[in-house]
Amino acid sequence: MKLELFGIKINKILLTIVLLFGGETLVYGQSNENKVSPKSYIAHYTKESINIDGSASESSWSKAKPTELFIDIEGRKIPKYMTTVKMLWDDEYFYFLAEMEEPHVWGNLKQKDTIIFYNNDFEIFIDPDNDTHNYYEFEVNALNTLWDLFITKPYREGTPVLNDWDANGFKSSVKINGTINNPNDTDNGWVLEIAIPFKVFRTSYHHKNIPKDKFWRVNFSRVNWEFELQNNKYSRKRDDKGKFKPEYNWVWSPIGIINMHQPEDWGYVYFSSKKVGEHDDFTIPEDEKVKRLLYQLYRKQKEYYKKNNRWATTFKELEAGSVSVEGKKIVKTIENHQTGWNITVVSPHTKHLFIIKEDGKIIQKED
């Protein structure tokens, strides 16, 4: 089935692959227990100067390919309105162009660092080092109001949000294909163009973090609310009990549950050194399958603790006696200590050691 979004014809495909569990054998195929598989995208290099004005008039944008159409966050439903993103990069910025179909473009939040997803918004999530910790979130509404966040650990670990963190040098612009906050007409949608400096993601002053020919973990979320009119003004719709009706969560790479803060399930963006318009290939590394298996064990430990008020000390307790990835058995160990536990596995592909801790952080050792 083909749909057209801002002149782009895109196939609407939902692919789900099933993960099999049997007895005490934990098997990894092409996805995780949520029955979703991460998306990937190749962001090409551009030498063209990109003017962040929302018009996307540069030839680089016309050459860049859009992502697949966004899907419901659980990976099961087709969204009501269409969304795609394009990405580019140069020696200074990571660029985004989000195109969103929307017949009623509205917004009322104008103060930076307010809870922007109380309006319809577009959100970017980025984990540069792929360890699920110290990641970034950016939310922008149709009024071009920004909420930028630095998150040290996923919320499941009871982590406070660093709301006073600022993405210095962040640039964005919105173009409305219609008229914002006018209920008397029907809009086509809105376009959001963003440039985020790579220096925003530095972990130290001299950190050289331009990800040439490398990948980052990235995902996008579009929050969309049903609305009602009060005095001819838009607001979130309430139910019969006066509570706000739940929002829709439409994403690029589905999570399997309604929770964007699972960085291990985000997509992969590869920063190709080839110029936009040139062909390149990217395959998600085999070791990423090993990491996803580690997160299955991590979740099993969390479930075990809820039931028993202690961590499991053996894989038998976790019902994961034999573990394999793509038919290759995994060498693994579990170690408990006073503050938690470590589970270590050896990749059958590269022989690298991967360690996951009780807080979900993954450590890689190559020697």
Side-chain angles (χ1 to χ4, degrees), residues 154-359:
Y155 293 140
R156 62 195 174 208
E157 298 298 331
T159 306
V161 175
L162 301 184
N163 193 49
D164 57 351
W165 174 83
D166 288 317
N168 295 321
F170 181 99
K171 297 190 290 185
S172 63
S173 182
V174 171
K175 180 181 179 181
I176 309 297
N177 292 314
T179 52
I180 192 169
N181 289 326
N182 183 358
N184 299 316
D185 66 0
T186 300
D187 307 312
N188 291 321
W190 55 297
V191 177
L192 174 61
E193 190 173 17
I194 289 175
I196 307 178
F198 284 115
K199 64 182 180 182
V200 162
F201 307 104
R202 288 177 183 167
T203 57
S204 65
Y205 184 81
H206 296 288
H207 183 199
K208 296 180 180 180
N209 68 330
I210 307 299
K212 178 180 178 182
D213 294 325
K214 297 179 181 179
F215 69 82
W216 283 2
R217 301 301 298 273
V218 177
N219 212 348
F220 306 99
S221 173
R222 179 183 174 187
V223 173
N224 194 271
W225 299 87
E226 293 186 53
F227 69 87
E228 58 187 9
L229 294 173
Q230 297 178 348
N231 299 323
N232 215 36
K233 293 183 179 181
Y234 291 95
S235 62
R236 290 181 290 162
K237 192 171 185 178
R238 297 178 184 268
D239 61 22
D240 294 338
K241 297 181 179 179
K243 294 183 178 180
F244 290 115
K245 300 189 72 173
E247 74 277 18
Y248 298 105
N249 294 275
W250 303 328
V251 304
W252 168 49
S253 192
I255 304 298
I257 62 173
I258 304 175
N259 181 6
M260 280 302 297
H261 293 271
Q262 290 194 173
E264 65 271 20
D265 292 321
W266 295 349
Y268 294 79
V269 173
Y270 177 74
F271 295 82
S272 172
S273 58
K274 293 187 177 180
K275 295 179 183 178
V276 62
E278 297 179 353
H279 176 75
D280 203 354
D281 292 307
F282 169 70
T283 301
I284 297 173
E286 293 293 318
D287 276 357
E288 291 301 298
K289 299 174 184 177
V290 177
K291 292 182 181 180
R292 289 175 70 77
L293 186 143
L294 272 175
Y295 278 108
Q296 293 177 32
L297 296 172
Y298 161 82
R299 293 184 181 112
K300 281 179 171 287
Q301 269 283 38
K302 292 285 188 179
E303 292 169 3
Y304 188 90
Y305 190 91
K306 286 182 180 179
K307 293 179 181 178
N308 301 281
N309 200 32
R310 69 174 181 87
W311 299 116
T313 59
T314 68
F315 290 109
K316 184 176 181 180
E317 290 177 314
L318 295 178
E319 297 183 355
S322 177
V323 177
S324 64
V325 172
E326 302 292 354
K328 296 182 179 181
K329 288 188 177 181
I330 301 294
V331 177
K332 63 189 187 308
T333 59
I334 185 169
E335 175 189 7
N336 291 64
H337 48 78
Q338 288 184 341
T339 59
W341 49 266
N342 294 337
I343 292 178
T344 303
V345 300
V346 179
S347 168
H349 308 290
T350 61
K351 305 305 178 183
H352 294 167
L353 250 64
F354 292 97
I355 303 168
I356 192 166
K357 300 168 57 180
E358 69 283 339
D359 63 1

Side-chain angles (χ1 to χ4, degrees), residues 2-59:
K2 289 198 172 183
L3 298 175
E4 188 166 334
L5 176 60
F6 298 101
I8 304 170
K9 289 186 177 180
I10 308 168
N11 287 321
K12 180 179 282 189
I13 301 173
L14 172 61
L15 175 63
T16 57
I17 306 172
V18 178
L19 175 70
L20 301 176
F21 290 91
E24 291 187 358
T25 301
L26 185 61
V27 181
Y28 179 90
Q30 294 295 326
S31 62
N32 69 0
E33 65 269 36
N34 297 326
K35 301 180 182 179
V36 296
S37 185
K39 305 277 188 185
S40 64
Y41 181 92
I42 297 177
H44 282 83
Y45 181 80
T46 179
K47 284 190 174 182
E48 186 177 16
S49 178
I50 305 295
N51 184 26
I52 305 302
D53 58 4
S55 67
S57 58
E58 294 83 5
S59 62

Side-chain angles (χ1 to χ4, degrees), residues 87 108 123 128 138 256 259 280 309:
M87 287 168 267
N108 55 24
E123 304 176 1
F138 309 89
N259 181 6
D280 203 354
N309 200 32

